[in-house]
Amino acid sequence: MSTQNSTLRGLGYAFLGFAVFASHDALIKALGGVYSVMQIIFFATLFSFVPMAVTILTDRTTGNFLPHHPWLVLLRSALMVTAMSCAFYSFSVLPLAEVYSLLFSFPLIVTVLSIPILGEVVRAQRWAAVGVGLIGVLIVLRPGATDITLGHLAALTAAFCSAFASVLVRKIGNEERSAVLILYPMLLAIAVMSLAQPAVYQPPSLLHLAMMALVGVFSVIAQHLIILAYRAAPAGVIAPSQYSQIIWATIFGMAFFGERPDVWVAVGASVIIASGVYVVWRESRTNTTSANTPVLRVRSPRSDTGASRPGE
């Protein structure tokens, strides 16, 4: 019974965490119609820095803040800032459900990237899932039937960069302090976005400033809820819960932005989600042929939020 209760508690944390993430993304969309993405990221990261600094200070791992793999840590930080920028932009210009459909290609990209970076062996079944997921992406995009915009390319770039950053964590995470992996992306985001402020800054109202603060705070809250979820329940149970975000995206899109579900986006998202769930299932099998379980070991697929904490 205790195991069952722990699993239910883990699922509760996960569903709540991804609901907070969906609220975070809806705020970005609302702000994106008024402010530059670079201004939103700058203030959101500043507001998330204080609670994340508390996390950094509670890291009891001995050592300083110098990375053991400085170039890989810098590369991961750059990937996370790029993912965050692209995701924020895509949320500001595309329907929420459409963005999520493309971001859900994340586990498929992780599977492919884990081959050259982690030496993962991917057999026919998972290759087939990747292929099916690619078909789902094409259904969402419908090249030739609809225009592929910069927003679509940004969403796919966010998925790729998030996946790349996550695989790098699997490669260096055991040798780097959590504090290092948290601190460097945030500092890079603040530094890069601060340089852009003279060109993009618009004085925000108190309401909009509070919304930017909530974007940062929601990111931290959601990350911690998902970490708690993975501590309480098996990864194979928790990982598929990320797809609950598309339900919230549909609800928020209809309620606040006048978005109406597109049947082709729904079909494509279903195909992408099915292939992603299959990859998770294959990695979670007790007799799995996956040596690294790269998708299951990612505690949160949301590198686009900037303040992403590595798995424990």
Side-chain angles (χ1 to χ4, degrees), residues 235-293:
V237 174
I238 298 301
S241 66
Q242 65 176 292
Y243 299 115
S244 64
Q245 291 173 104
I246 202 163
I247 298 174
W248 290 108
T250 303
I251 293 172
F252 290 157
M254 294 177 65
F256 301 115
F257 305 107
E259 298 171 357
R260 293 293 177 264
D262 183 289
V263 63
W264 289 110
V265 171
V267 171
S270 299
V271 173
I272 296 169
I273 290 171
S275 58
V277 170
Y278 181 79
V279 167
V280 170
W281 175 76
R282 286 287 298 177
E283 288 191 9
S284 64
R285 295 175 62 193
T286 55
N287 60 340
T288 180
T289 56
S290 174
N292 301 288
T293 54

Side-chain angles (χ1 to χ4, degrees), residues 70-181:
W71 292 112
L72 290 179
V73 169
L74 180 60
L75 173 60
R76 174 180 174 270
S77 300
L79 287 166
M80 292 180 68
V81 173
T82 302
M84 180 165 51
S85 302
C86 290
F88 277 39
Y89 175 75
S90 60
F91 279 123
S92 68
V93 298
L94 293 178
L96 289 170
E98 196 164 337
V99 177
Y100 277 118
S101 300
L102 298 174
L103 292 180
F104 285 157
S105 61
F106 167 89
L108 308 175
I109 301 172
V110 168
T111 300
V112 175
L113 291 177
S114 67
I115 300 170
I117 298 175
L118 302 177
E120 174 78 351
V121 176
V122 176
R123 304 193 187 279
Q125 291 91 336
R126 279 193 290 165
W127 274 121
V130 171
V132 170
L134 178 59
I135 293 172
V137 170
L138 292 175
I139 293 173
V140 172
L141 294 177
R142 284 168 288 161
T146 59
D147 292 332
I148 297 178
T149 68
L150 187 58
H152 296 104
L153 297 178
L156 290 173
T157 301
F160 176 83
C161 290
S162 295
F164 198 168
S166 297
V167 174
L168 284 179
V169 168
R170 292 287 296 116
K171 185 175 181 66
I172 65 175
N174 292 333
E175 300 176 57
E176 300 287 357
R177 294 180 64 191
S178 293
V180 168
L181 295 172

Side-chain angles (χ1 to χ4, degrees), residues 37-87:
V37 166
M38 290 178 282
Q39 183 173 344
I40 298 169
I41 293 174
F42 177 72
F43 280 100
T45 307
L46 279 181
F47 283 114
S48 66
F49 189 83
V50 173
M52 289 308 294
V54 174
T55 300
I56 291 170
L57 293 174
T58 59
D59 179 11
R60 297 182 180 181
T61 307
T62 58
N64 53 38
F65 292 103
L66 296 177
H68 294 288
H69 303 277
W71 292 112
L72 290 179
V73 169
L74 180 60
L75 173 60
R76 174 180 174 270
S77 300
L79 287 166
M80 292 180 68
V81 173
T82 302
M84 180 165 51
S85 302
C86 290

